[in-house]
Amino acid sequence: MKITDNIKTVQGISDKRAALYKKLGVESVGDLLTHYPRGYIDFTAPVEISACEVGEYCVICAIVKKKLSPYIGSRIPVYKLILTDESEEILCTFFNSEFSYNKLILNKEYIFYGKINGRPPRPYGTPLLGGELKEIVNPLFILTDDPNKLLPRYRLTAGLSHAIVSANVKNAFRLIENTMFSDLPCEILEEYSLMPVGQAVKNIHFPTSMEEYRSAKRSLVFKELLVLQLGMAIIRSRNRKLTGTPMKDYDISPLYKTLPFKPTKAQVRSVNECIADMKKRVPMNRLLQGDVGSGKTLVAAALAYYAHLNGFQTALMVPTEILAKQHYKTLNGFLEPLGIKCTLIIGGLKAGEKKQVYSEVMSGEASVIVGTHALIQKGVVFNSLGLVVTDEQHRFGVGQRSELISKGHNPHTLVMSATPIPRTLGLIIYGDLDISLLDEMPKGRKPIMTYGVGTDYRERLYRFIIKQINEGRQAYIVCPLIDEGVSEKTSAVKYYNELKEEWFGDIEIGLLHGRMKQSEKDEVMGLFKSGSIKVLVSTTVIEVGVDVPNATVMLIENAEQFGLSQLHQLRGRVGRGEEQSYCVLVTDSKSPYTKARVDTMTRTCDGFEIAGEDLKLRGPGDFFGSKQHGLPMLKIADMTEDNDVIIETQDLARSIIKNDPDLRQSAELRELVAELFKDSNEYGYN
Ligand code: ADP
Ligand code: MG
């Protein structure tokens, strides 16, 4: 018997049931055992029957006073009993569950959990029994002296119930022994008072008290986070082994003097923090976190300038071509007056252009190279790459970043993130990455006024946009999402035409969608930036980084389709100038999840708060999922709750790696890391 054996080896799991489990990703005995409960039904604190509120789920402790004879005449057999505690009697009804009825023994005491009804609903034709008593329907129950008073609740799929899973898990435990689990070394278990993993897994399914549950959970979370952090630390240390190229002090104030505005204190501070890093013997490894519009590009420009003064090139990698061009233009605007050559590398360069650009990069003539992931193509050879900046980092795989880094001789790295990552997550993803915060907006920015409305507001919204345009402003409209069976292009074009014909008349409006050629997109974007297009209708291609300070309205159709961080990003396209800006979220969705997002957006413009809410709403699994970061999925640790353990395990992981960088001395740990990272090939961990 091994933990990797198929679940069909467990008693009670047929082919049919195994297929249901497969839907939940549970295929082996180990999967089943680590299909941890999401919560518990708590039988520890029963209330008196007289105190049970109709309509609520209640826990009561009662004796079976009478078993009424079953009524099996109707389509659904009905089984009724009378229960009693000292306070009152209650009718207990099971539909279609002879099993439960038979299990309950007359005059014995049980604890029941179920929904309380008022006057019992009477299926057609059944006799009225129990009169005016309250009723508890299809309750779960345990014997009063059952030591397991917390019944696990699992993530389920149709055909499985909490009770079935729980019974299967119990059977699985019969097959295995504690030694079959790979565990942390004993010294660690002892030092941190952790349960052996086998025991912890058992206790988390069947805790006898909340206390026991908490301590089991801590043990499992600790193990999971420690292993994760060890893996991350190993990956990072591979990237950090080499020493960087220390830079010397140079005066960068000439840049500040040529700017059309005064840099914020936060910008200057961040630049100085980076420069201090770049003077050290290890490469800078820093995250610049700044909300949309906080002016991250200037920080990158200042550092590129500093690297240039030191004789090094800077590469700035961004996720889209539109952004690459914009950043190129901005950086060029900042740096050209200082005699620095910037260049742009994107996918669609013609052969001649490509040759020219590549040779400028190779000769070192170009100091600042802006581009998309086209920067990591083989043909791009740098002369002296000293600084790698990635913008909107959450869109790059870690692999792409390290590829670019490997084109230099241990360059300094700066990651710029517009989506503020909650601290706990940042710790995991970036570990000992240093963080600079742009926690100050450029002067004169007004908070964006945000509203959530239904589609019946559309006409008013269009009129409002026209008014803004007449006052000289511009607007974004994010298209409604595609109807089923219609392509993105068709639906965007249709919406655009309607707007044009029915609303905007001779006002110049433009359309951007993903199916357009790059050159077409660029043209439209250029016209919008220059102000000749007043309204930009767009699918979400404008999502990141685009900067048009004169735009003051962001209208988002089908707002329910976007996550909070995405909405915040979209909203960040406005509010970049001195005028009051507006963001309107249009949705007819009544789901609580949509409401929560709209409420958060209307309540706050603070990106950190929004990131925190996002994490809460979507759950760490989603935020943290391999899709986003290429990291392994966690089974039990919760990034929003397990802060203390994150910090504890981070310290421990650091000290372990310091003494034993490749975990050569601990086969247990090495094996655990390999297991957790087995699907994350992006990390090249094996
Ligand atoms: P983000 O942090 O979102 O990348 P950008 O770098 O695109 O922000 O900057 C947003 C806008 O603010 C740009 O138009 C930029 O020129 C402007 N800006 C940057 N720093 C300042 C400042 N200190 N004062 C005024 N405007 C600034
Ligand atoms: Mg930006």
Side-chain angles (χ1 to χ4, degrees), residues 245-266:
T245 321
M247 299 197 183
K248 290 204 296 278
D249 222 353
Y250 278 95
D251 178 19
I252 57 159
S253 65
L255 169 67
Y256 294 150
K257 283 181 196 134
T258 60
L259 293 177
F261 47 72
K262 202 167 168 286
T264 63
K265 282 204 204 74

Side-chain angles (χ1 to χ4, degrees), residues 405-455:
I405 291 169
S406 70
K407 288 186 180 258
H409 300 286
N410 345 314
H412 299 285
T413 60
L414 180 71
V415 171
M416 306 202 291
S417 174
T419 311
I421 295 160
R423 197 185 133 67
T424 42
L425 249 171
L427 279 174
I428 296 273
I429 298 169
Y430 302 112
D432 47 2
L433 191 98
D434 304 296
I435 298 183
S436 287
L437 276 184
L438 283 184
D439 50 4
E440 179 189 355
M441 284 287 170
K443 280 215 174 54
R445 299 275 168 83
K446 299 193 177 88
I448 302 159
M449 297 174 83
T450 304
Y451 305 92
V453 300
T455 47

Side-chain angles (χ1 to χ4, degrees), residues 292-293 295-297 323 326-327 391-392 416 418 544-546 573 576:
V292 273
K296 292 183 289 295
T297 321
L323 260 189
Q326 176 183 296
H327 276 61
D391 194 9
E392 319 291 352
M416 306 202 291
V544 285
V546 178
R573 299 309 109 218
R576 300 187 146 234

Side-chain angles (χ1 to χ4, degrees), residues 13-61:
I13 301 188
S14 59
D15 286 357
K16 204 172 131 208
R17 196 167 276 175
L20 297 177
Y21 274 115
K22 193 165 178 194
K23 286 191 196 164
L24 299 170
V26 173
E27 296 183 56
S28 68
V29 176
D31 293 341
L32 178 62
L33 294 175
T34 54
H35 189 64
Y36 297 126
R38 305 179 113 188
Y40 302 87
I41 298 165
D42 185 352
F43 284 80
T44 57
V47 297
E48 292 193 332
I49 295 172
S50 61
C52 289
E53 299 271 352
V54 171
E56 304 262 293
Y57 281 85
C58 291
V59 178
I60 56 174
C61 179

Side-chain angles (χ1 to χ4, degrees), residues 89 213 220 283 294 392 396 403 426 448 504 542 620 641:
E89 291 185 354
Y213 155 75
L220 293 173
S294 59
E392 319 291 352
F396 290 111
E403 258 182 82
I448 302 159
F504 290 104
I542 48 158
E641 279 176 8

